[in-house]
Amino acid sequence: MPAAPVKFAYWVPNVSGGLVTSKIEQRTDGGYDYNRELAVLAENNGFEYALSQVRYLAGYGAEFQHESTSFSLALLLATERLKVIAAVHPGLWHPGVLAELGATADHLSNGRFAVNVVSGWFKGEFTALGEPWLEHDERYRRAEEFIRALRQIWTEDHTELAGDFYRLRDFSLKPKPLSTPERPHPEIFQGGNSTAARAMAGRVSDWYFSNGKDFDGVTEQIDDVRKSAAEAGRRAPKFGLNGFLIARDTEAEARDTLREIIAKADSEAVEGFGAAVKQAGRSAADGKGMWQDSTFEDLVQYNDGFRTGLIGTPEQIAVGVPPAEGWGSIVAYKKLGVDLFLLGFLHYHEEAEYFGRRVLPLVRELEARSADSESVSA
């Protein structure tokens, strides 16, 4: 059977400052009007998903932020096909409360709500709200328990849970979210690069999001997640990869844009963010947490999006022709096992439309040719 077409999501810019911590001009706005227009534009240019960011405190270039779940619902109601993923923190949410919110949002959107469970990297958000800051692997244990509770509430008549972090006693949710054989409940996404994150993804998640990675990094993570799923006796989650996409008519224009972003980086904000997140990464039991080996340049895009290397002409980004040394391509990553690209842009409206008009058709053309050749060989 031919491989499914690769899917595309975009980071919702629901916080101020855009997707790079730089003083370069960004024709991107964190407000609702801009984002409503962007959501409609995105679903008409090949994007199937959007991920709303979650931040509870100002800082690191993001002085203002709109809450993720409410913003996600607003975008769902403004669109017809787009699936919107709301990011939430276990420890700041109870799974029963989120389950009810998600079920309602799923009905209002005709089955397009999804959730991204964020174990937490910013200690200040928890301490400012009077919540305990758990050590790294304990945060992932709590997130796993959260996901298990959420799935049980959404799919079973009565939930009983006496966990280390959550208690549910004969809890019943009605109505439940919409359910189909392909999607029995709202999709559950999860991020993280650490060993604990990969193991948890294999055991409980529907999708695993990685920070930006090159080919070797992607291969290592996919292998680890699949191994964890096999050990748990379940199908491996699908794999999503973060990437900051800079598509221009010429390679020189694309590389110049990247150089300008980094040259105009807000150094104080980048260094402050780096200090916070590298502490979180190093606190993993084996030191393999997110951002632990990120450079200053990597952190200018705060999810290591430059590392994926989706920078160049439409042809280079889509299929790697002609090859740009040191950069990746969508089709090459797909062959490694990437099912979805989570993209950020400098100027969202213009660049999401450019992606749909110039990059996506090249990807779909190659996928169609590959499917035809597989059919002939079969």
Side-chain angles (χ1 to χ4, degrees):
M1 179 181 295
V6 68
K7 301 178 185 298
F8 295 95
Y10 72 92
W11 283 100
V12 175
N14 57 302
V15 303
S16 61
L19 264 286
V20 291
T21 310
S22 174
K23 297 175 183 177
I24 190 173
E25 179 194 14
Q26 296 185 68
R27 294 189 292 278
T28 292
D29 186 88
Y32 177 64
D33 289 342
Y34 180 93
N35 273 283
R36 183 188 65 244
E37 292 175 15
L38 172 59
V40 173
L41 184 153
E43 74 173 356
N44 289 328
N45 279 277
F47 289 88
E48 294 186 41
Y49 294 87
L51 172 61
S52 293
Q53 302 176 67
V54 58
R55 292 284 293 274
Y56 294 99
L57 286 179
Y60 311 130
E63 295 305 309
F64 301 94
Q65 50 276 318
H66 289 292
E67 192 276 326
S68 177
T69 59
S70 52
F71 210 78
S72 295
L73 179 57
L75 296 182
L76 285 166
L77 297 179
T79 53
E80 298 177 354
R81 302 176 304 281
L82 191 70
K83 300 166 189 173
V84 184
I85 311 161
V88 298
H89 282 89
L92 302 180
W93 279 88
H94 188 284
V97 176
L98 181 69
E100 185 159 12
L101 182 152
T104 298
D106 207 48
H107 280 268
L108 293 175
S109 64
N110 196 30
R112 293 184 288 123
F113 177 78
V115 63
N116 182 41
V117 177
V118 181
S119 296
W121 57 265
F122 186 10
K123 181 178 179 180
E125 291 181 324
F126 283 78
T127 57
L129 293 170
E131 294 297 325
W133 177 245
L134 305 182
E135 64 93 8
H136 181 277
D137 287 8
E138 284 294 283
R139 296 198 299 274
Y140 278 95
R141 276 213 316 125
R142 177 174 60 190
E144 181 168 342
E145 193 172 290
F146 185 95
I147 290 174
R148 291 185 186 277
L150 192 60
R151 181 175 281 114
Q152 188 177 354
I153 293 167
W154 277 341
T155 59
E156 298 182 16
D157 288 338
H158 298 281
T159 300
E160 295 282 349
L161 177 65
D164 293 335
F165 304 96
Y166 302 106
R167 310 283 192 276
L168 293 126
R169 297 181 178 85
D170 194 26
F171 182 75
S172 180
L173 174 67
K174 296 180 181 178
K176 295 194 180 301
L178 301 183
S179 178
T180 67
E182 297 77 24
R183 196 214 74 150
H185 54 74
E187 292 171 288
I188 299 172
F189 291 72
Q190 168 230 322
N193 284 0
S194 67
T195 299
R198 301 176 200 189
M200 169 183 145
R203 289 191 295 263
V204 297
S205 298
D206 299 321
W207 286 87
Y208 173 75
F209 272 140
S210 171
N211 264 17
K213 289 288 180 183
D214 59 16
F215 292 156
D216 290 342
V218 165
T219 299
E220 177 193 353
Q221 288 191 330
I222 290 177
D223 287 348
D224 284 353
V225 171
R226 287 176 176 170
K227 180 181 177 183
S228 170
E231 290 170 350
R234 68 187 295 263
R235 178 181 297 177
K238 296 177 182 177
F239 192 91
L241 177 63
N242 179 61
F244 191 85
L245 191 141
I246 305 176
R248 300 292 186 269
D249 291 343
T250 68
E251 182 182 337
E253 289 177 89
R255 295 203 180 210
D256 285 347
T257 300
L258 176 61
R259 277 192 287 268
E260 186 181 0
I261 291 171
I262 293 171
K264 294 181 177 177
D266 183 337
S267 298
E268 183 179 352
V270 173
E271 287 167 1
F273 176 77
V277 299
K278 287 191 176 188
Q279 176 278 327
R282 284 192 295 265
S283 67
D286 57 6
K288 291 185 179 179
M290 284 168 53
W291 298 293
Q292 56 90 21
D293 61 348
S294 300
T295 66
F296 177 92
E297 289 77 12
D298 294 330
L299 292 170
V300 175
Q301 203 294 303
Y302 43 79
N303 281 92
D304 286 344
F306 301 147
R307 282 187 167 192
T308 307
L310 300 180
I311 298 162
T313 66
E315 293 77 15
Q316 288 170 325
I317 289 170
V319 298
V321 179
E325 186 178 351
W327 303 115
S329 75
I330 289 168
V331 169
Y333 279 115
K334 180 186 176 184
K335 288 178 180 176
L336 296 178
V338 173
D339 301 289
L340 176 148
F341 287 88
L342 174 59
L343 302 178
F345 302 94
L346 188 63
H347 310 303
Y348 261 83
H349 282 196
E350 302 98 304
E351 295 191 41
E353 189 276 333
Y354 186 91
F355 170 83
R357 180 167 50 85
R358 295 289 308 278
V359 181
L360 185 59
L362 298 173
V363 175
R364 297 298 184 228
E365 180 184 353
L366 192 64
E367 287 177 327
R369 277 192 308 205
S370 177
D372 287 344
S373 92
E374 286 180 27
S375 299
V376 169
S377 3

